[in-house]
Amino acid sequence: MYRLLIVDDEPPIVEGLAEMVELQQLPLKSIRLAYSAKEALELFEEEPFHIVIADIRMPHMSGLEMMDNIRAYNKDTQFIFLTGYMDFDYARQALQLGASDYLLKPAEDEEVLRSLDKVIRTIEHSMEQMMMLEQAKLRSDELLQAHQTEYLKNMLSSSKPPPKLEELETEFRRLQFPFQAGTKVLALVVRIDEWRGKFHSHDETLVEFAVQNMISEMLASTKVNMSFRIGNGFIALTLQPQFIDSEYDVATILKSKLMEIQDAIDHIIGVVVSVAVSPQPFSWEEWATEMRLLITYVKQTLGKGRMIIPHQMGNDHDLGEAKQLIQTIIQSMNLRHYGDCERGIGKLIAYAESAPTDSSHRLSVLLMSISANVINIALQNGISSLLGPIEVEKLTNLYMHKNAEAFKTFLMEILHVIFTQLNQSPSNPSDALVMQVKLYIDRHLNEDLSLNALSQKIHVNPSYLSRIFSQVAKEQLSVYLTRKRIELAKQLLMEKEELKVNEIAARVGFDNPNYFAKVFRKATGAAPLDYRIAHSR
């Protein structure tokens, strides 16, 4: 919709034109009236107009002078001039100044409407062209940003020696990077710990995008920053602040700003993030190494909503007690003493919570040695199939645990499964095989547990596995699998009210929610939602 201004020193003409135009079905948002060029300019100060119909000859200031004034700060306004003078000099000047049309008084209504229609089509065409140009620029910017991100990701994942300054300068010019290749930078890694509120459990990509945009906007005052998503809830940023080459502790200067960003992300979009920043600026030749170290550091840091600035690690003697505890725990693991392991890990966690800040990363490394020993025990005893991809990932990435106590609980669950398998160790090979299959099924109910998939995991023939399982367990493998899946589904329906039925179906290994509902009803006599209502706490 467009705004129209009618200007003439003769009120009957102004009001007559306005009344006539108002009766037409034209895409006009408003029609304003002015009785002099000066009054028209004052109206323009209040709001711009798309179209002006004006007399050329008016007292004190002509229509041409008025157009010249308006075009000085609004060159897109279209002008239609009316005059009672058969003066081609005026007409020529009007057209030279960019008037859209020139009509002689008294102009017929049809002439004015044709001229208005022509101007409106001109404006619409210009707007379409402008939108096309904006869309093309946006696509070009997105493509350029994609190439910039790809270049940084390739640097991060490459095993080749880092590029020299000359090569960096060439590539930065080619890709129009906002950075100076010869100026130091800081690395920043953001880890998404949890989200709530408007986001659902499957919105990880959307959450990453929202967090990335908020951080980039809030860090705009640091002069130059660029970010990209690593995946799995991690975002990498590179900053080149104005004060990067100062003698001050840059990371500490940024700390309060980063804490403000953490609070804003939590309050505005309901996402808890941990933020790590490199302690000192470094050159672009060192960028990939420093960024990889910072990512690893964040992955091995327990807790949520952490502010992490890695510092010089403590001396070895600072952690002597922790090392002794580690040795005791590993010895207890090898002897399969579950209680001693639990007590030892509890003592290590208590030590970790009272340790100085600069020892936190070293303690994380020691905790990782426990995880490595757990995996080693499973491998040495031929029961590595008990540890699926999720278990291995949680054993090797401490950040996936809410805190040290949560890590301990998870670790003890894994040890319980392993020790149960090793301590019971049936003398009958068939019994041992069935126990191994049951343990694997119980811990991987959301995965593909078809007969072929299980036989590949356990390394036996599918027909043999089916026959032996039925003989030893006194029930078919498929019956046992369905029973366990329904048991877990019932537990989730009662305890996890935030989960939808289709999400629960996926968690217990059903790709098709409708099929899940059918199997659930057959097993329990009730639909999943009815079961939840009947058993709600």
Side-chain angles (χ1 to χ4, degrees), residues 80-99:
I80 300 172
F81 282 114
L82 300 172
T83 183
Y85 292 86
M86 187 63 178
D87 193 327
F88 290 105
D89 287 337
Y90 277 115
R92 184 170 59 254
Q93 288 181 51
L95 295 175
Q96 287 174 346
L97 285 172

Side-chain angles (χ1 to χ4, degrees), residues 230-344:
I230 304 171
N232 296 321
F234 285 83
I235 300 165
L237 293 96
T238 304
L239 297 94
Q240 204 169 65
Q242 293 176 327
F243 46 83
I244 195 75
D245 291 321
S246 69
E247 68 276 13
Y248 301 109
D249 185 343
V250 180
T252 302
I253 294 173
L254 283 172
K255 184 177 179 180
S256 60
K257 180 66 175 179
L258 296 175
M259 292 176 70
E260 177 188 332
I261 290 173
Q262 280 181 303
D263 290 340
I265 292 172
D266 188 7
H267 292 151
I268 295 173
I269 61 176
V271 178
V272 178
V273 300
S274 290
V275 180
V277 59
S278 50
Q280 297 295 333
F282 48 82
S283 68
W284 270 102
E285 291 92 330
E286 302 168 291
W287 179 84
T289 300
E290 293 293 332
M291 185 65 81
R292 282 194 291 265
L293 285 173
L294 194 61
I295 292 170
T296 302
Y297 199 105
V298 177
K299 284 187 175 182
Q300 307 313 334
T301 300
L302 286 162
K304 296 184 178 182
R306 296 286 305 275
M307 172 58 61
I308 307 162
I309 302 179
H311 293 287
Q312 185 67 31
M313 303 304 167
N315 296 324
D316 287 346
H317 67 266
D318 294 335
L319 299 170
E321 182 181 346
K323 285 191 172 183
Q324 291 178 4
L325 285 170
I326 290 288
Q327 292 172 359
T328 302
I329 293 167
I330 291 176
Q331 185 178 9
S332 299
M333 283 184 185
N334 294 333
L335 294 173
R336 305 175 196 173
H337 292 168
Y338 184 86
D340 291 343
C341 286
E342 188 171 25
R343 283 187 289 275

Side-chain angles (χ1 to χ4, degrees), residues 280-529:
Q280 297 295 333
F282 48 82
S283 68
W284 270 102
E285 291 92 330
E286 302 168 291
W287 179 84
T289 300
E290 293 293 332
M291 185 65 81
R292 282 194 291 265
L293 285 173
L294 194 61
I295 292 170
T296 302
Y297 199 105
V298 177
K299 284 187 175 182
Q300 307 313 334
T301 300
L302 286 162
K304 296 184 178 182
R306 296 286 305 275
M307 172 58 61
I308 307 162
I309 302 179
H311 293 287
Q312 185 67 31
M313 303 304 167
N315 296 324
D316 287 346
H317 67 266
D318 294 335
L319 299 170
E321 182 181 346
K323 285 191 172 183
Q324 291 178 4
L325 285 170
I326 290 288
Q327 292 172 359
T328 302
I329 293 167
I330 291 176
Q331 185 178 9
S332 299
M333 283 184 185
N334 294 333
L335 294 173
R336 305 175 196 173
H337 292 168
Y338 184 86
D340 291 343
C341 286
E342 188 171 25
R343 283 187 289 275
I345 294 171
K347 288 180 180 179
L348 184 64
I349 289 172
Y351 181 88
E353 291 175 344
S354 63
T357 303
D358 62 359
S359 298
S360 60
H361 182 63
R362 186 70 60 85
L363 283 167
S364 294
V365 173
L366 293 175
L367 289 174
M368 286 294 296
S369 67
I370 297 177
S371 296
N373 198 66
V374 171
I375 296 172
N376 190 46
I377 290 173
L379 289 169
Q380 287 180 348
N381 290 277
I383 54 173
S384 59
S385 59
L386 295 178
L387 303 177
I390 295 176
E391 284 79 13
V392 172
E393 186 177 10
K394 293 180 77 173
L395 279 169
T396 54
N397 291 283
L398 297 183
Y399 77 91
M400 299 181 73
H401 305 276
K402 184 176 182 180
N403 49 41
E405 194 60 39
F407 173 72
K408 174 190 170 185
T409 300
F410 169 75
L411 195 60
M412 297 315 299
E413 289 176 358
I414 295 291
L415 286 174
H416 176 72
V417 172
I418 292 175
F419 289 173
T420 298
Q421 172 72 4
L422 295 177
N423 290 334
Q424 292 184 4
S425 296
S427 56
N428 186 322
S430 297
D431 291 346
L433 174 64
V434 171
M435 179 179 292
Q436 185 179 356
V437 171
K438 285 184 174 181
L439 284 170
Y440 185 83
I441 288 174
D442 293 351
R443 296 193 63 80
H444 302 86
L445 287 170
N446 64 321
E447 298 177 13
D448 178 12
L449 295 176
S450 62
L451 183 59
N452 285 333
L454 280 171
S455 62
Q456 290 177 8
K457 289 287 184 183
I458 310 300
H459 306 293
V460 294
N461 180 274
S463 300
Y464 175 76
L465 174 59
S466 178
R467 185 172 68 254
I468 292 299
F469 191 95
S470 297
Q471 291 174 358
V472 173
K474 307 304 180 186
E475 66 178 332
Q476 292 182 351
L477 179 58
S478 59
V479 173
Y480 177 84
L481 174 58
T482 300
R483 177 163 58 82
K484 286 294 182 178
R485 281 176 162 162
I486 296 301
E487 286 175 3
L488 178 58
K490 290 193 291 186
Q491 180 184 345
L492 293 173
L493 284 166
M494 290 188 292
E495 298 177 1
K496 301 288 185 180
E497 294 184 0
E498 71 276 11
L499 292 179
K500 298 177 182 178
V501 171
N502 63 322
E503 293 175 319
I504 291 175
R507 287 200 180 192
V508 298
F510 286 87
D511 295 331
N512 188 327
N514 292 330
Y515 180 64
F516 163 70
K518 181 179 179 181
V519 173
F520 189 91
R521 181 186 289 275
K522 183 177 180 181
T524 65
L529 282 177

